Amino acid sequence: MNPSLQNWLTTSIEALKEQNLYKVPKILESPAGGRVRMNGKEVVNLSSNNYLGLANHPKVRQAALDSIEKWGVGAGAVRWIGGTMSIHQELEERLAKFKNVESVLVFTSGFTANAGCIPAVLTDKDVVISDELNHASIIDGVRLSTAKYKKSEGYVYPHKDMEALEKILQNTQSFEKRMIITDGVFSMDGDIAPLPTIVELAEKYNAFVMIDDAHASGVLGKNGAGTTSHFNLYGRVDIQLGTLSKALGVVGGYIAGSAALKDWLVNRGRPYLFSTAHPPMVAATLIAALDVMENDPEPMRKLWDNTRWWKEHLQEAGFDTMGSETPITPIYIGDEAASQATERALWDEGVYALSISYPTVARGKARIRTMPSAAHSLEDLEFALNAFKKVRDRMPALAGAR
Ligand SMILES: *Cc1c(COP(=O)(O)O)cnc(C)c1O
């Protein structure tokens, strides 16, 4: 390897290790679920986005097998050059009904849906106004655009601060278009964006709203239709992003909105234009996942029963869950080294719950992030709660003085 590159890589990795920010992924050796085998060990998994247990649901598995018989395994091309199969189209029609919008366009992931949609709808005459805790894929999508967006120029508001948002809206009236963009459910804190106020402000100041509902999809709203449904704001959120990779259990992302929006993205959404379509199996399994979500209330009920149980018991035991309102339940620690040590101690107790630290969250705000799901039994959660209590006796940082 080129010595400058080799040197740079070695020193950069060393620096990560010194800051306790170095990651080594563990390997899942069983299907996704509440209890899994990982790195040769049986553990309760509290770090999965498989909210509804659909990643290994029998009906969804069967749909995959059936679709391979019918369609084979690859689409063979990008969407617009013959890679769109009727099963892809059927999925988009189903999603549009599910979301109660005119049109949906599917991308290969939520990340590429952001990277495709955001730059496509903005020009250099526009501005993006963002919540400071927006997801990395929103930030990268915004960076790909030619619009103004920088925090240093005053276009990022403190987390959920609606007065600050209003001030920015007042100060940006000379732009041609203004887009307010926010996570629907914040991915590392588990709180919900104040969407009713955001929509009112957008309407008052002639801005438009894009919401990233990756963690709200399958979790909030009617049958899991997301924050727009949760707050009953149908028709008032211009662009909704959803993921098919988390609660829906497979992979993919989509943009839901008007027919004109879809029409534009089909012509100008670069990941749609230049990256191969999903395997047909992906579309077929997602249709099966939607069937389950629309016809079986049990997974969502169990997700929320488990969520309530988990939060109540953690709080009762004195842990700081940071104001989370959804299944995403962070347990605040602060110091990166203490958070990593806590993760290791939990692992020793048979619980996989990841430490989240910079750059995913701000420096000094490290936490253990947990997510109960419909795939967990009450015994799994009791087991995990006990592990947290045991670990706390050895880890003063977990005691939670913030
Ligand atoms: C996970 C996530 C994404 C990316 O979705 P994928 O389908 O996994 O690519 C986008 N936005 C937010 C807020 C997320 O949490």
Side-chain angles (χ1 to χ4, degrees):
M1 200 196 292
N2 168 269
S4 331
L5 174 60
Q6 180 69 43
N7 263 340
W8 180 83
L9 288 171
T10 314
T11 21
S12 304
I13 291 167
E14 274 318 305
L16 286 182
K17 287 182 179 167
E18 270 162 35
Q19 297 169 77
N20 295 300
L21 300 175
Y22 180 72
K23 297 176 176 70
V24 183
K26 287 194 166 50
I27 306 302
L28 192 57
E29 293 153 349
S30 68
R35 234 171 227 279
V36 296
R37 199 174 59 247
M38 222 178 211
N39 282 23
K41 189 176 160 123
E42 173 113 357
V43 291
V44 170
N45 183 4
L46 286 177
S47 292
S48 175
N49 298 317
N50 179 27
Y51 288 114
L52 298 172
L54 292 174
N56 192 33
H57 190 286
K59 286 189 177 155
V60 179
R61 288 172 65 118
Q62 190 57 48
L65 296 171
D66 295 346
S67 92
I68 290 169
E69 292 289 339
K70 180 165 179 201
W71 291 103
V73 295
V78 300
R79 288 284 307 271
W80 73 283
I81 312 187
T84 300
M85 295 167 148
S86 55
I87 190 96
H88 294 118
Q89 201 177 22
E90 187 184 332
L91 172 63
E92 287 174 339
E93 282 163 10
R94 279 291 299 272
L95 282 168
K97 281 212 187 81
F98 176 65
K99 295 289 288 186
N100 202 1
V101 294
E102 275 179 16
S103 284
V104 160
L105 184 67
V106 170
F107 290 80
T108 47
S109 70
F111 197 106
T112 53
N114 268 323
C117 178
I118 299 170
V121 298
L122 297 168
T123 74
D124 59 4
K125 298 191 179 70
D126 301 334
V127 65
V128 185
I129 305 171
S130 313
D131 187 290
E132 66 177 349
L133 292 191
N134 279 352
H135 189 258
S137 63
I138 298 181
I139 296 169
D140 285 13
V142 169
R143 283 176 179 157
L144 286 171
S145 80
T146 52
K148 294 269 188 256
Y149 62 84
K150 286 191 178 149
K151 187 171 185 174
S152 60
E153 294 169 15
Y155 304 129
V156 175
Y157 55 91
H159 184 44
K160 295 197 297 188
D161 183 338
M162 295 293 98
E163 278 173 32
L165 170 59
E166 182 156 20
K167 284 215 183 76
I168 300 174
L169 285 165
Q170 286 163 352
N171 293 338
T172 50
Q173 312 222 28
S174 58
F175 286 92
E176 192 171 283
K177 303 202 297 304
R178 293 180 293 163
M179 174 165 89
I180 306 170
I181 187 160
T182 178
D183 281 28
V185 169
F186 287 88
S187 55
M188 298 300 142
D189 291 56
D191 52 345
I192 304 173
L195 195 56
T197 311
I198 291 173
V199 164
E200 268 169 39
L201 287 172
E203 287 168 353
K204 180 169 168 193
Y205 290 97
N206 185 31
F208 69 97
V209 176
M210 175 167 172
I211 186 133
D212 178 341
D213 257 351
H215 282 284
S217 307
V219 173
L220 290 178
K222 181 168 179 265
N223 297 333
T227 41
T228 301
S229 164
H230 175 73
F231 288 117
N232 198 11
L233 291 167
Y234 289 109
R236 295 172 69 189
V237 178
D238 303 276
I239 305 178
Q240 300 178 61
L241 179 145
T243 186
L244 306 165
S245 324
K246 288 173 176 147
L248 277 94
V250 192
V251 72
Y254 62 87
I255 298 292
S258 68
L261 176 66
K262 174 169 178 172
D263 213 12
W264 180 246
L265 294 178
V266 163
N267 285 278
R268 282 292 179 272
R270 291 171 70 83
Y272 173 89
L273 293 167
F274 298 112
S275 184
T276 297
H278 275 154
M281 178 191 76
V282 168
T285 48
L286 286 165
I287 291 168
L290 277 170
D291 282 340
V292 174
M293 287 165 69
E294 289 178 333
N295 297 305
D296 181 2
E298 185 55 25
M300 209 170 149
R301 196 190 58 72
K302 193 160 172 216
L303 167 67
W304 279 98
D305 281 353
N306 281 347
T307 296
R308 277 186 288 270
W309 190 96
W310 181 240
K311 281 189 201 306
E312 270 169 33
H313 284 78
L314 281 173
Q315 284 158 7
E316 215 173 86
F319 293 101
D320 177 357
T321 57
M322 301 183 75
S324 147
E325 305 166 80
T326 63
I328 299 170
T329 309
I331 292 135
Y332 184 79
I333 294 184
D335 178 65
E336 283 80 16
S339 192
Q340 275 200 344
T342 306
E343 175 191 312
R344 284 193 295 271
L346 286 166
W347 173 260
D348 291 340
E349 296 294 335
V351 172
Y352 180 67
L354 225 57
S355 161
I356 304 283
S357 56
Y358 181 84
T360 312
V361 296
R363 280 186 203 274
K365 293 210 168 159
R367 66 205 62 179
I368 300 289
R369 175 168 171 266
T370 64
M371 287 135 101
S373 76
H376 291 106
S377 65
L378 191 55
E379 294 75 58
D380 294 338
L381 296 181
E382 281 168 347
F383 178 88
L385 182 69
N386 274 332
F388 269 90
K389 288 180 180 166
K390 271 192 221 164
V391 165
R392 175 170 50 192
D393 296 338
R394 286 179 275 141
M395 297 278 173
L398 247 187
R402 189 140 55 112

